């Protein structure tokens, strides 16, 4: 089973694509944003430390994230493959990931970079709706639920993420440009980067991923 990472700005569709990939390939998704939101909801020590950063659109400090990804690997890796969504986000995290994998002789097979123009990112983020129960992602215009405001799968009332407002979205995109974009070069230099146009539609993106993985 493949070990894959999705790279892209906030709103580029990583979460939506991750859910499709996970069911196609039967691999667990390790989404650091989801793990952090769950910890905030459950008011854990990690959640309390992370909350302020997330609300401002800043990154949570590397050491906190690296520590919980390490334990997420212990569970997910038992199944032989996984998909990383939203991690690594800094060069320090990418180096920590290499070190974690290196310990057991494993490596990342491929990084997919999903490219979406900046003005489209903002409208995707501000229209996003999320099921608080199953995590399914909707968009009020481009991917609405069958019944307004309610999840198709479990009837839960859909919510908006606290950081999905225009102002925080802009800072998250700026943080991406500054701290995460250097990873494009990092993975291109390793020869494992595939760039995908994120505006071609969900099915086509999925097709590129399948074809690349063979
Ligand atoms: P996401 O769900 O991936 O959009 O992440 C939401 C927020 O969680 C980000 O804006 C960060 O505050 C935090 N976060 C998620 N993943 C990471 C990471 N790898 N490193 C630092 N902060 C993260």
């Amino acid at each position: 089973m493949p070990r894959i990472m999705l790279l892209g700005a906030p709103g580029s569709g990583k979460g939506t694509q991750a859910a499709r990939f996970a069911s196609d390939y039967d691999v667990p998704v390790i989404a650091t944003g989801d793990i952090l939101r769950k910890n905030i909801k459950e008011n854990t020590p990690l959640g309390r430390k992370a909350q302020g950063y997330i609300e401002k659109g800043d990154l949570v400090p590397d050491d906190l994230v690296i520590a919980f990804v390490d334990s997420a690997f212990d569970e997910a890796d038992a199944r032989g493959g996984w998909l990383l969504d939203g991690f690594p986000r800094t060069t320090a995290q990418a180096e920590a990931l290499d070190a974690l994998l290196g310990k057991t002789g494993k490596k990342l097979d491929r990084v997919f970079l999903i490219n979406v123009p900046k003005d489209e990112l903002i409208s995707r983020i501000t229209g996003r709706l999320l099921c608080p129960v199953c995590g399914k992602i909707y968009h009020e215009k481009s991917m609405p639920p069958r019944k307004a405001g309610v999840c198709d799968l479990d009837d839960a009332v859909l919510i908006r993420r606290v950081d999905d407002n225009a102002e925080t979205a802009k800072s998250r995109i700026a943080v991406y440009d500054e701290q995460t974009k250097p990873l494009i070069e990092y993975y291109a230099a390793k020869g494992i980067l595939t760039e995908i146009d994120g505006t071609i539609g969900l099915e086509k993106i999925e097709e590129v991923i399948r074809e690349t993985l063979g």
Side-chain angles (χ1 to χ4, degrees):
M1 277 198 284
R3 294 192 178 83
I4 298 296
M5 177 213 169
L6 298 183
L7 181 61
S12 58
K14 300 186 298 297
T16 306
Q17 207 53 245
R20 299 171 76 101
F21 183 91
S23 71
D24 282 359
Y25 286 82
D26 192 28
V27 292
V29 174
I30 302 176
T32 43
D34 288 350
I35 297 172
L36 290 167
R37 279 186 290 278
K38 184 165 181 274
N39 276 273
I40 292 174
K41 202 168 155 190
E42 292 169 359
N43 194 22
T44 67
L46 171 63
R48 287 194 292 275
K49 281 184 203 147
Q51 188 161 15
Y53 296 100
I54 293 190
E55 284 173 0
K56 275 192 277 176
D58 289 339
L59 294 185
V60 172
D62 287 333
D63 53 343
L64 288 182
V65 178
I66 291 163
F68 74 72
V69 168
D70 192 8
S71 55
F73 272 137
D74 287 343
E75 289 168 40
D77 222 33
R79 292 170 58 189
W82 31 251
L83 179 142
L84 294 175
D85 165 8
F87 176 88
R89 255 175 158 101
T90 63
T91 305
Q93 291 180 16
E95 288 167 353
L97 173 63
D98 287 344
L100 282 179
L101 295 177
K103 276 197 299 200
T104 46
K106 293 178 187 126
K107 63 178 184 48
L108 195 54
D109 295 314
R110 189 133 294 268
V111 173
F112 292 98
L113 168 67
I114 308 183
N115 279 318
V116 171
K118 230 169 238 179
D119 47 346
E120 193 173 329
L121 292 173
I122 300 281
S123 64
R124 286 188 184 195
I125 292 173
T126 52
R128 175 157 58 190
L129 299 168
L130 179 72
C131 174
V133 175
C134 71
K136 190 170 163 59
I137 301 164
Y138 298 86
H139 186 278
E140 55 193 7
K141 293 203 183 86
S142 60
M143 221 194 302
R146 281 195 293 270
K147 194 169 138 203
V150 174
C151 181
D152 294 348
L153 305 180
D154 51 33
D155 274 344
V157 174
L158 302 177
I159 56 162
R160 265 178 217 280
R161 281 169 44 173
V162 282
D163 54 347
D164 275 354
N165 57 76
E167 195 190 331
T168 314
K170 276 189 204 138
S171 5
R172 287 161 61 204
I173 293 167
V175 166
Y176 171 81
D177 284 344
E178 199 180 298
Q179 303 198 49
T180 309
K181 258 194 175 164
L183 296 186
I184 298 175
E185 194 39 51
Y186 185 90
Y187 290 115
K190 288 182 185 283
I192 58 167
L193 185 83
T194 300
E195 288 200 40
I196 308 180
D197 175 354
T199 64
I200 57 177
L202 289 178
E203 279 80 17
K204 289 224 174 86
I205 295 176
E206 206 173 343
E207 223 174 279
V208 176
I209 294 178
R210 273 175 194 277
E211 278 167 11
T212 308
L213 294 177

